[in-house]
Amino acid sequence: MAEPNELPLSILSAIERYRQQCSDPMVAFFYDLPALAAHANAMKAALPPGVELYYAIKANSEPAIIDTLAPIVDGLELSSGGEIERACRSATPRPWVLSGPGKLDADMRSAIERGVEAFHVESLGEIARLQSIAAALGRTQPVLLRINPWLPESFSSRLRMAGTATPFGIDEAQLPQAVSAVDNAPNLKLCGFHVHAMSHQTSEQRHQQLLAFYLERWPSWRALARYPEQLTQLNVGGGIGVNYRQPSHQFDWASLCYAFGQQLDNLSEPPRVRFEIGRYLSAFCGYYVMEVLDTKVSHGEGFLVCRGGTHQFRLPVAQGHDHPVIHLPRDPEQSSNGEQRAWTVVGQLCTPKDVLSRHQELRGVRVGDLLVLPLAGAYGYNISHADFLCHPRPSQHFVTDTAEALHSRPGLRRVLAEGYSG
Ligand SMILES: *Cc1c(COP(=O)(O)O)cnc(C)c1O
């Protein structure tokens, strides 16, 4: 079980301030923007020389998250007209690419008009459509072909986008045909290849092997083109996992980058490599905070019924894990003398699937206490079915306080010592 003292003071303080404004039991998301910036800066600093980091905004496309990351990353990866809107409204305009299956003609046209850097093309049909759109606009459009490669069985992860039958990318068997279609399209310019094969990769070693495999395949993919020397870019996708089961054991990005840098150093003609990371960039900055509405024991199992639920934070059910929970008692002293037991944390929905976490050993939980679910910054609120049962949507708070700013707030010490008001 995680402890309250693992929460940043800025988040505790924002929770307390919001709670004082709530007349009903609270539920809300809080995002630690300085921590997000620090994490992104550290990721960027660890990259091997020349390797780029893009943010795949589908992980969390809230304007404040994009505005925090945009100045740090090298660019953005987008997959819809709506995402183009969000990215173009960012305070810091950055280069962006458009990928994803099922692109609309209207989105491709708007992307070209709004200055897309490159398209990640997903099918033979899309090559033909993009060619006619680029021709109609009188442009020459850079493209990367997204490959669904043959992958050794050992690379499999929980959520596979490639190496198996999926709607993503171009089957490697059809790659020669796709490359020649782009070579023959007068308004398209082939710049390289894109592979996003895995999600939830939690092993540095396996990811390193996957990247090594791409680098090994790169010369033969490139050799398919009429002018191979014009192909310089290899986008290796995202897919770095977050460990929701053991929050203190996370993917070691720096060690992956170090090993990958050595692999690149051994190549005589390395491609320009780009990562496009979603989850591992934004997950750590987010917290979903729910107030306990009711406690009950039914057929031997203890339930904490909380404000909110999986319609607002679908991630744990979507991934099939028990989300870590931090208990913030309203009365810390009473709570520390209370009984410890295993709880199942559920929301307000009238469905047995509305479970956020099982087997949470918590001491002295009472109605009115708060539960904080960390690691909620990626694929949290934005993948959820928030209108189910017509509950109001939770508020989202983008916290910009730094630790220094908080030392001048004595109220916070009181909260830590005496618990949460309400
Ligand atoms: C979702 C997605 C990403 C980001 O994946 P993460 O697992 O969040 O890092 C990158 N590239 C493509 C094409 C995607 O669809």
Side-chain angles (χ1 to χ4, degrees):
M1 186 191 70
E3 298 291 335
N5 61 15
E6 290 170 20
L7 286 174
L9 282 184
S10 57
I11 294 296
L12 285 169
S13 164
I15 294 171
E16 168 67 4
R17 271 178 284 157
Y18 178 61
R19 189 172 201 188
Q20 282 173 0
Q21 298 164 19
C22 293
S23 47
D24 286 326
M26 74 168 275
V27 62
F29 283 89
F30 294 84
Y31 302 95
D32 185 342
L33 297 183
L36 174 64
H39 176 64
N41 274 315
M43 282 183 73
K44 187 83 168 50
L47 287 172
V51 173
E52 294 175 311
L53 178 64
Y54 273 43
Y55 174 48
I57 79 163
K58 81 168 186 286
N60 189 328
S61 53
E62 293 298 331
I65 301 285
I66 296 176
D67 283 341
T68 302
L69 288 175
I72 300 167
V73 297
D74 296 294
L76 305 174
E77 188 259 352
L78 316 177
S79 294
S80 74
E83 288 194 345
I84 295 174
E85 277 302 315
R86 290 254 167 134
C88 289
R89 264 189 269 134
S90 163
T92 314
R94 301 296 294 169
W96 51 277
V97 294
L98 189 71
S99 51
K103 295 181 192 75
L104 300 178
D105 285 0
D107 293 339
M108 293 200 273
R109 205 174 294 120
S110 141
I112 294 177
E113 284 167 352
R114 301 177 86 159
V116 64
E117 176 191 4
F119 281 88
H120 295 170
V121 175
E122 301 247 356
S123 74
L124 292 165
E126 210 176 275
I127 295 170
R129 285 199 290 137
L130 185 57
Q131 161 55 31
S132 49
I133 291 166
L137 295 171
R139 303 282 182 91
T140 301
Q141 184 52 58
V143 302
L144 273 67
L145 288 174
R146 179 169 181 184
I147 308 174
N148 179 346
W150 292 294
L151 290 178
E153 204 31 56
S154 57
F155 289 160
S156 130
S157 84
R158 274 204 296 136
L159 205 61
R160 277 178 91 162
M161 324 298 166
T164 182
T166 75
F168 309 114
I170 297 164
D171 187 326
E172 193 167 355
Q174 292 171 0
L175 193 60
Q177 199 186 341
V179 169
S180 90
V182 178
D183 274 344
N184 292 326
N187 294 78
L188 303 183
K189 180 176 184 298
L190 187 59
C191 300
F193 298 102
H194 170 249
V195 201
H196 171 68
M198 300 285 165
S199 201
H200 301 289
Q201 176 70 268
T202 48
S203 154
E204 296 88 37
Q205 215 166 19
R206 278 181 26 184
H207 209 69
Q208 190 189 323
Q209 286 163 7
L210 185 68
L211 298 179
F213 179 77
Y214 298 161
L215 290 180
E216 204 181 295
R217 302 290 296 135
W218 165 253
S220 46
W221 290 336
R222 199 179 180 218
L224 297 170
R226 190 175 298 147
Y227 304 108
E229 67 287 353
Q230 292 182 3
L231 274 61
T232 54
Q233 296 184 38
L234 178 61
N235 184 314
V236 296
I240 306 301
V242 166
N243 191 340
Y244 297 102
R245 291 182 169 86
Q246 288 175 287
S248 54
H249 288 72
Q250 296 300 341
F251 189 99
D252 187 347
W253 171 256
S255 92
L256 174 79
C257 287
Y258 179 75
F260 187 47
Q262 292 194 318
Q263 286 168 11
L264 288 171
D265 282 347
N266 290 334
L267 300 182
S268 53
E269 249 186 297
R272 207 177 98 210
V273 175
R274 175 181 294 170
F275 287 97
E276 50 181 28
I277 305 285
R279 184 185 307 275
Y280 190 79
L281 262 166
S282 67
F284 302 102
C285 77
Y287 301 87
Y288 181 53
V289 181
M290 318 170 81
E291 183 164 339
V292 178
L293 301 175
D294 204 356
T295 67
K296 71 173 78 168
V297 176
S298 178
H299 292 256
E301 186 172 346
F303 291 91
L304 298 175
V305 182
C306 302
R307 183 82 201 271
T310 54
H311 56 310
Q312 298 174 353
F313 187 51
R314 194 171 75 89
L315 176 75
V317 256
Q319 307 300 338
H321 67 240
D322 291 309
H323 209 81
V325 171
I326 300 168
H327 176 207
L328 293 183
R330 199 181 269 251
D331 183 338
E333 198 181 303
Q334 201 168 31
S335 151
S336 60
N337 296 326
E339 177 209 4
Q340 173 159 335
R341 66 161 298 148
W343 292 103
T344 296
V345 178
V346 302
Q348 297 173 276
L349 300 184
C350 310
T351 156
K353 293 186 176 169
D354 189 22
V355 175
L356 297 130
S357 203
R358 294 172 206 272
H359 317 299
Q360 291 296 314
E361 286 287 333
L362 302 172
R363 179 175 293 285
V365 185
R366 296 156 66 97
V367 170
D369 288 358
L370 299 180
L371 300 183
V372 182
L373 282 63
L375 306 174
Y379 307 109
Y381 185 39
N382 68 353
I383 63 158
S384 306
H385 40 93
D387 294 329
F388 189 40
L389 261 98
C390 302
H391 285 295
R393 288 177 170 243
S395 58
Q396 299 197 87
H397 303 262
F398 299 92
V399 179
T400 55
D401 294 339
T402 55
E404 301 84 68
L406 289 161
H407 283 304
S408 57
R409 225 177 257 142
L412 189 60
R413 264 171 249 293
R414 181 193 59 72
V415 167
L416 288 173
E418 299 168 21
Y420 280 73
S421 57

